[in-house]
Amino acid sequence: MNITTRIGLSNREKLFILALIVVLISSIYYSFFYIPIKNDIKIALAEIDSIKSSIDQMEFYKSAHYNIRKEYKTIDTSKIIKDVEQKDIALFLCETLNKYSEEKSISFKKDQYYNNLKCMLVEIEGSMDYNNLIKLLKHLEEAPYYNIIDSIDVQMLYLKGDNMFVKVKLSVEFLCLHSTAKA
């Protein structure tokens, strides 16, 4: 004899109890197994993305380091002045910008050292007409200090007759030989 027959449950009540048991087991499974596993999977996927990002960043830095070393080997150090200070570069840039720019801003970023080579990154901003921009770039090219223009951003401000006035943002690396490199 079966327990449900002893209690006297109808088929409808039996079906209701069975459905209740299924719902109860499903909710226990969902709460204690499915959601924690789903959260663990999300965390693992986030860690995988983070690791992939770190690997991509390491590959980028490895490539950049290789390019810097390759570029360093190709630089003709006979043209690079020894022990140039920021004040020398600042004075040179002030004199240069006074000739060509109406508004000017010069900011030095942190110096970097590669073996005996010192790299001073300078950001220059100014407003000038387009002809003076060309003269400024030519002046930097002929400068006594070895430099590399990393980036240049030119935005047109206005036109006045045939002259176009622009706002310029330059990122320039000045290189010098440094006898006590900090590597």
Side-chain angles (χ1 to χ4, degrees):
M1 206 166 160
N2 173 336
I3 191 163
T4 55
T5 342
R6 270 192 275 158
I7 298 176
L9 296 175
S10 68
N11 283 339
R12 179 181 265 175
E13 291 169 337
K14 291 178 192 176
L15 200 58
F16 179 74
I17 290 173
L18 182 63
L20 187 63
I21 291 171
V22 169
V23 168
L24 183 63
I25 291 172
S26 297
S27 63
I28 289 172
Y29 171 78
Y30 185 79
S31 298
F32 293 107
F33 296 106
Y34 180 75
I35 289 181
I37 288 173
K38 190 175 178 183
N39 289 338
D40 290 345
I41 290 172
K42 279 184 184 178
I43 291 170
L45 289 174
E47 286 178 17
I48 288 171
D49 288 343
S50 173
I51 290 170
K52 282 182 181 179
S53 174
S54 296
I55 289 171
D56 290 344
Q57 192 175 22
M58 286 173 31
E59 289 295 324
F60 170 76
Y61 286 131
K62 181 179 175 184
S63 172
H65 180 70
Y66 172 78
N67 289 338
I68 289 170
R69 291 182 65 79
K70 188 171 129 183
E71 192 175 307
Y72 174 73
K73 289 178 183 175
T74 62
I75 292 174
D76 182 8
T77 55
S78 66
K79 296 179 182 178
I80 299 177
I81 299 174
K82 188 173 184 174
D83 293 327
V84 176
E85 297 296 322
Q86 278 188 0
K87 64 181 180 180
D88 301 323
I89 301 295
L91 183 62
F92 166 75
L93 288 173
C94 282
E95 290 172 355
T96 302
L97 288 173
N98 282 336
K99 293 179 191 174
Y100 303 114
S101 180
E102 297 169 9
E103 299 173 11
K104 54 199 151 289
S105 166
I106 302 169
S107 63
F108 284 85
K109 303 303 175 192
K110 187 175 182 197
D111 295 348
Q112 296 180 348
Y113 297 87
Y114 306 100
N115 295 334
N116 65 336
L117 196 61
K118 177 181 174 183
C119 176
M120 292 178 273
L121 182 62
V122 183
E123 294 204 352
I124 304 166
E125 292 186 39
S127 299
M128 61 195 79
D129 70 14
Y130 188 75
N131 293 330
N132 280 343
L133 171 61
I134 300 300
K135 290 175 186 174
L136 172 67
L137 294 174
K138 188 80 167 160
H139 195 84
L140 284 173
E141 184 180 343
E142 296 170 351
Y145 306 108
Y146 192 92
N147 64 75
I148 300 167
I149 297 176
D150 277 341
S151 67
I152 181 169
D153 180 30
V154 180
Q155 296 175 346
M156 186 176 98
L157 294 175
Y158 58 90
L159 284 171
K160 189 174 185 180
D162 289 340
N163 287 339
M164 176 174 38
F165 287 83
V166 294
K167 182 177 181 179
V168 180
K169 184 175 182 181
L170 291 168
S171 181
V172 183
E173 289 182 13
F174 286 89
L175 303 175
C176 73
L177 293 175
H178 192 65
S179 55
T180 56
K182 294 180 182 177

